Amino acid sequence: TLVNRQCDIDHPTQGMSDMAHGIRESGGVENLKGKKLAMTWAYSPSYGKPLSVPQGVIGLMTRFGMEVVLAHPKGYEVMPEVEAVAMKNAAETGGKFTKADSMAEAFKGAHIVYPKSWAPFSAMEKRTDLYGNGDFDGIKALEKELLKQNAKHKDWECTEKLMATTHQGKALYMHCLPADITGVSCKEGEVEASVFDRYRVPMYMEASYKPYIIAAMILLGKVCA
């Protein structure tokens, strides 16, 4: 049985682990409908984080009637084909898919927040071509360019102040891990240490679903083959 653990387009095992965690935390899959989820870009001192997680999240959560908001600075767009899937899913399930250009707008009233860094789709296309041509000098130049671009958006950080604007100030914080934690794993990163620490146990539970998701995929692959 072949299981897609991650590709350039999607991260199915992570997305379904996130979904299982969300279902448990909200008391049932039926309770996800109408809930707002903020999938937002966040600053990282690293340049090459994949798009598969945000793309997987907007593609999957909209299938359950959620109100999904995708937020990122200009230039950090995801694949348009995936956005089209999210729009289609939202229309079919009574959910909603919108885009925002600030974390503040996305976090406002959100029930779940998922602040994570990713590299622009256009940059990943360029990097693929550079690797294909064996242009390692070009890859180094691209890395410097993307790090410089990231540094312009250090204010895209999940803070206590932003968390206070979520639904009743108690939104569920999600991350695929490892997170770039400000003052802990890096000088400036995706999330304030106090926010991360508060959700440390729930995030371990979120991550713990993945082996079971993979096992279920293998079982279904054998049964349905």
Side-chain angles (χ1 to χ4, degrees), residues 148-167:
K148 185 177 179 181
Q149 181 179 346
N150 274 14
K152 295 178 182 178
H153 307 291
K154 291 184 178 181
D155 56 327
W156 282 71
E157 178 191 17
C158 180
T159 63
E160 294 286 7
K161 184 176 180 181
L162 277 173
M163 290 298 288
T165 68
T166 63
H167 181 69

Side-chain angles (χ1 to χ4, degrees), residues 46-149:
S46 169
Y47 87 99
K49 297 184 185 294
L51 297 112
S52 55
V53 169
Q55 292 183 158
V57 167
I58 67 172
L60 180 60
M61 304 305 183
T62 47
R63 291 176 62 184
F64 292 82
M66 297 189 75
E67 180 186 336
V68 179
V69 181
L70 176 67
H72 55 76
K74 185 177 180 182
Y76 288 84
E77 288 74 20
V78 301
M79 296 174 69
E81 297 89 342
V82 178
E83 289 190 3
V85 168
M87 289 288 289
K88 180 176 179 290
N89 289 344
E92 291 176 350
T93 62
K96 194 175 182 182
F97 175 67
T98 57
K99 293 193 287 184
D101 57 9
S102 73
M103 289 184 85
E105 182 180 347
F107 270 53
K108 188 175 181 181
H111 298 81
I112 301 173
V113 296
Y114 206 135
K116 184 199 175 305
S117 186
W118 65 80
F121 173 52
S122 58
M124 293 299 93
E125 285 189 307
K126 186 175 181 180
R127 187 172 71 168
T128 299
D129 290 338
L130 291 170
Y131 271 117
N133 294 325
D135 187 355
F136 296 104
D137 288 336
I139 292 168
K140 290 179 181 178
L142 177 63
E143 178 178 354
K144 290 181 180 179
E145 177 187 328
L146 293 177
L147 288 173
K148 185 177 179 181
Q149 181 179 346

Side-chain angles (χ1 to χ4, degrees), residues 1-5 13 210-225:
T1 301
L2 183 64
V3 173
N4 178 4
R5 294 183 61 199
T13 58
K210 193 174 290 185
Y212 300 99
I213 294 295
I214 295 170
M217 285 181 168
I218 294 171
L219 175 63
L220 286 171
K222 291 183 179 297
V223 171
C224 298

